[in-house]
Amino acid sequence: MNLNYTIAVLILPFLTFVFLGLVGVKMKKKAAGIVGVCSMGVTAFIAFAAAFTYFFGTDQGQVIDGVRQQLQVFDYTWMQFTKNLVIKIGVLLDPISAMMLIVITTVSFMVHLYSLGYMDGEKGFQRYYAFLSLFTLAMLGLVVASNIFQMYIFWELVGISSYLLIGFYYTTPAAVAAAKKAFIVTRFADLGFLIGILILSYYTQTFDFITLTSNPGAVISSAGGATFLGCSAMAWAMTLIFIGGAGKSAMFPLHIWLPDAMEGPTPVSALIHAATMVVAGVYLVARLFPIYCLEQGTMTIITVIGAFTAFYAAAVACTQSDIKRVLAFSTISQIAFMMTSLGVASQMLDNGVGYMASMFHLFTHAMFKSLLFLCAGAIIHSVHSNEMTAMGGLRKYMPICNWAFLFGCLAISGIPPFSGFFSKDEILVAAYAKSPLWGIWLAVVAGMTAFYMFRLYYKIFWWNNPDYGDHKPHEAPWTMTLPLIILGLLALCAGMIPFGKYVNLARTVEYESGINWMVAGSSVLIALIGIGLATKLYLKENPKPDRMAEKTPGLWTAAYRRFYMDEFYQYITHHVIFAHVSTPIAWFDRHIIDGTMNMLARVTHSTSYSIRRFQSGNIQSYVWIYLIGALALATIVMLCVI
């Protein structure tokens, strides 16, 4: 079946962005919102049609010898440097891109619909929907890119659109600072990504994903033994590309932008920082995974950074009081789970279960984490505060939100039959297969996840009521509640999909995976211990949490302050870079560069001032100067002759 229509998933959001950007301010707010929702609904329908056709279509070209083929359904040559080095704009459909079409459009449509209620009355409502369309376009362009340079173009478009959405409240200094922070930090990482692309394309003479991944051995050998600082050129290329992914996916130490990005509207947090933008780095590694498999040094780096980030973010989440920041650090930890799963994956270990598990967790996490963020938005919309101290007993006032949030907590904690149980279990299986160290490490992080999520749940919905006064909390309007119900059902059921049959490393339709009950049983037990501890400490208001914090004030304060990573970066930038690098450079620029130019200007000015009489317009002066010049010239000639 012809899948050329898939290009419409890029065209529709682009047209919506242009239309709302140019005409939106002249429309009523609700009309602009409805245009955005309807456009996203049609885009989602097309994306689902393309994905279902790819997975379930009967076209013989889609499955050959039991292997799902990579289909380049749209291909346009944009720039050609050499016969092989060509930049194209295309659409590539394979299991992971088809899966991402479903993830992005589902969450984006839910956010578009939810925002009709959440953003009602906000200044810049039309601008908000234009930016949502731009971001959706960028993410869809990134995941269907047929070559790495096209991915980089949309990668940067994701960066600028996230900057616009994080800084949506541009009159608020904190939002402006957060937008700049996100943009600057990810630009440093993206520099590594760009250099990696240049090294990779220099040796392979191609940007094309199918060419790169179909014969990864040839890619590695194309460098011909070239090395730098003891590492092969390809190891450097793949590590630098991973750095780009680490920045976008907020891996330590490039994670500092994500918590501050919560200054944007809460639906933006659900779209960008839970389900789509932050998984771009995971998707990048998965897209080039056949090459990464042959660079074990880089795979070790991915594993170590992912595992450390998962633990670090979970520890910080255990102490935060702002509900959005708890979810932000939870996101960092869960994305790190996916990255670690890719790091430990190998075709030799259970048919690449780590690769499949990473993509599976990406899929389920998108559903339950966007659910949790949208529930947080409904809570904030009701109580007008992000702080847990302003909440409590909300199960009485917001029953639908209560159940939806509980579903999200159970899913992320890995409690069966919720979706997170199935995907997290597969990650733990992959980690144990690689090394018991990584399996135990991630199991501990999973227990911490259950603890801090139920700490959050109890303090919001079960803790003693604060004084709400005359403004009693209430359930959100239907435009906000309906997405919660839909995502809640997905958080419950999404894990029951036989995901491995559709997305796996070998792209085979015969892939079989089952539940490892030893790993699953231990992980559920650890999760229940975490939930039980949270229940004991936070089900009802009591002094136990404060007493525990007082017993370890240094550790608790360090975790609350994010282990002083922001202060560290502030010190490095202000006291090292600005004081000892930027200041000398500024002095050199001001006194040497500018001084030289100023000196030339002064010399030119004084010389011009001195000879200005030569152009006085006085005939007598011209004759006198001519006579003096002629006499001087005659004298010089005579002296030379003599």
Side-chain angles (χ1 to χ4, degrees):
M1 183 178 291
N2 194 329
L3 287 166
N4 289 343
Y5 65 85
T6 310
I7 190 65
V9 301
L10 303 183
I11 295 173
L12 272 175
F14 173 73
L15 294 177
T16 306
F17 164 68
V18 173
F19 177 76
L20 292 178
L22 297 177
V23 184
V25 291
K26 300 179 181 179
M27 302 172 62
K28 292 182 178 180
K29 291 182 177 181
K30 284 293 184 183
I34 291 171
V35 168
V37 172
C38 292
S39 172
M40 194 60 245
V42 175
T43 303
F45 177 80
I46 296 171
F48 270 75
F52 275 72
T53 300
Y54 177 79
F55 284 124
F56 303 108
T58 57
D59 192 329
Q60 293 181 353
Q62 291 175 207
V63 179
I64 299 177
D65 295 330
V67 176
R68 287 192 173 86
Q69 301 301 299
Q70 294 178 298
L71 305 178
Q72 193 156 322
V73 298
F74 180 82
D75 189 36
Y76 172 74
T77 300
W78 182 30
M79 291 188 288
Q80 183 166 353
F81 297 102
T82 66
K83 180 180 179 180
N84 297 322
L85 196 53
V86 181
I87 297 177
K88 296 183 177 182
I89 301 296
V91 173
L92 174 64
L93 276 184
D94 68 351
I96 59 173
S97 63
M99 178 270 294
M100 287 298 293
L101 285 177
I102 294 174
V103 169
I104 294 168
T105 55
T106 298
V107 176
S108 185
F109 179 69
M110 293 295 106
V111 168
H112 275 71
L113 178 60
Y114 180 93
S115 297
L116 284 176
Y118 188 88
M119 298 298 290
D120 187 30
E122 291 281 0
K123 183 180 179 181
F125 187 85
Q126 301 94 323
R127 171 169 54 90
Y128 171 81
Y129 270 93
F131 291 165
L132 281 186
S133 296
L134 177 64
F135 176 81
T136 305
L137 159 69
M139 271 307 303
L140 290 170
L142 187 155
V143 299
V144 300
S146 62
N147 61 82
I148 196 169
F149 203 84
Q150 179 188 346
M151 176 182 275
Y152 182 76
I153 294 170
F154 283 100
W155 187 278
E156 294 304 312
L157 189 58
V158 166
I160 188 61
S161 56
S162 66
Y163 168 81
L164 294 171
L165 286 167
I166 295 168
F168 176 77
Y169 299 119
Y170 60 86
T171 57
T172 306
V176 174
K180 291 192 293 185
K181 188 175 184 179
F183 193 76
I184 292 170
V185 171
T186 53
R187 292 294 72 70
F188 278 105
D190 292 351
L191 175 62
F193 186 16
L194 179 59
I195 296 172
I197 291 173
L198 295 176
I199 296 172
L200 180 66
S201 61
Y202 174 78
Y203 287 109
T204 61
Q205 289 293 294
T206 184
F207 294 121
D208 187 68
F209 281 132
I210 295 179
T211 304
L212 289 170
T213 57
S214 60
N215 191 357
V219 171
I220 299 299
S221 62
S222 64
T227 61
F228 178 69
L229 296 179
C231 294
S232 69
M234 279 302 152
W236 278 107
M238 302 313 294
T239 302
L240 288 167
I241 290 172
F242 165 69
I243 289 174
K248 199 72 82 180
S249 289
M251 295 292 99
F252 186 91
L254 300 172
H255 67 284
I256 58 170
W257 66 269
L258 185 62
D260 289 1
M262 298 300 109
E263 295 293 339
T266 302
V268 169
S269 301
L271 179 62
I272 295 180
H273 310 119
T276 52
M277 174 180 170
V278 289
V279 301
V282 178
Y283 181 82
L284 171 63
V285 175
R287 171 56 70 202
L288 296 172
F289 191 75
I291 305 174
Y292 276 106
C293 275
L294 301 182
E295 287 292 351
Q296 286 304 308
T298 305
M299 292 288 276
T300 300
I301 293 173
I302 294 172
T303 303
V304 172
I305 290 178
F308 178 80
T309 303
F311 180 83
Y312 164 85
V316 175
C318 290
T319 62
Q320 299 301 299
S321 59
D322 183 316
I323 62 173
K324 288 178 67 176
R325 278 177 169 74
V326 174
L327 295 177
F329 280 100
S330 172
T331 298
I332 295 173
S333 184
Q334 295 301 303
I335 298 299
F337 252 82
M338 303 171 204
M339 200 69 84
T340 306
S341 185
L342 288 173
V344 300
S346 169
Q347 184 69 55
M348 305 303 294
L349 297 174
D350 290 339
N351 297 318
V353 65
Y355 175 90
M356 185 277 292
S358 178
M359 297 296 98
F360 193 11
H361 199 55
L362 187 158
F363 179 78
T364 59
H365 176 265
M367 305 308 166
F368 60 69
K369 186 52 69 65
S370 56
L371 168 65
L372 289 167
F373 265 109
L374 293 184
C375 284
I379 294 163
I380 294 167
H381 185 267
S382 182
V383 303
H384 306 292
S385 175
N386 291 21
E387 291 293 326
M388 286 187 274
T389 53
M391 304 167 192
L394 289 181
R395 71 186 189 282
K396 304 171 186 176
Y397 305 100
M398 307 175 69
I400 296 177
C401 186
N402 169 53
W403 282 104
F405 201 93
L406 178 59
F407 275 31
C409 290
L410 290 169
I412 197 173
S413 299
I415 303 299
F418 292 88
S419 58
F421 163 75
F422 298 94
S423 56
K424 189 173 290 186
D425 171 66
E426 298 285 9
I427 290 178
L428 292 175
V429 168
Y432 277 113
K434 181 69 173 180
S435 168
L437 169 65
W438 298 128
I440 294 170
W441 184 284
L442 293 186
V444 170
V445 175
M448 296 169 67
T449 302
F451 171 78
Y452 68 67
M453 286 308 304
F454 273 85
R455 168 183 177 266
L456 179 64
Y457 171 70
Y458 288 136
K459 293 198 74 171
I460 294 172
F461 293 100
W462 288 80
W463 204 259
N464 290 357
N465 290 21
D467 182 12
Y468 290 119
D470 295 332
H471 181 76
K472 298 295 183 183
H474 54 82
E475 202 70 79
W478 75 268
T479 53
M480 296 170 64
T481 302
L482 181 59
L484 300 186
I485 296 172
I486 295 172
L487 290 171
L489 293 174
L490 290 173
L492 173 62
C493 302
M496 299 177 188
I497 298 172
F499 192 85
K501 290 187 176 181
Y502 305 109
V503 181
N504 57 74
L505 182 55
R507 303 197 305 276
T508 176
V509 298
E510 302 297 331
Y511 185 91
E512 293 185 6
S513 64
I515 297 175
N516 185 321
W517 288 108
M518 182 176 292
V519 174
S522 63
S523 67
V524 171
L525 177 61
I526 292 171
L528 291 175
I529 292 172
I531 295 172
L533 183 58
T535 303
K536 184 173 180 62
L537 292 174
Y538 296 103
L539 179 60
K540 294 182 180 180
E541 189 168 356
N542 65 84
K544 292 179 184 177
D546 292 335
R547 286 205 298 264
M548 289 182 62
E550 290 170 0
K551 289 181 180 178
T552 56
L555 179 61
W556 190 92
T557 303
Y560 182 76
R561 298 291 295 273
R562 312 173 194 180
F563 293 98
Y564 304 103
M565 286 302 300
D566 286 274
E567 288 81 355
F568 172 75
Y569 275 104
Q570 286 290 332
Y571 179 83
I572 292 295
T573 53
H574 286 82
H575 294 86
V576 177
I577 297 177
F578 291 170
H580 299 293
V581 179
S582 300
T583 299
I585 291 174
W587 182 92
F588 182 84
D589 180 67
R590 190 180 306 111
H591 293 87
I592 305 301
I593 305 299
D594 288 352
T596 301
M597 295 298 104
N598 292 337
M599 182 188 68
L600 292 175
R602 284 194 296 270
V603 170
T604 303
H605 178 268
S606 59
T607 303
S608 301
Y609 189 81
S610 301
I611 65 174
R612 73 190 190 284
R613 297 175 185 174
F614 293 166
Q615 296 294 330
S616 64
N618 189 316
I619 299 298
Q620 290 88 341
S621 297
Y622 292 164
V623 172
W624 175 249
I625 292 170
Y626 174 78
L627 179 60
I628 295 299
L631 290 174
L633 182 61
T635 301
I636 293 171
V637 171
M638 290 178 65
L639 290 173
C640 291
V641 171
I642 294 173

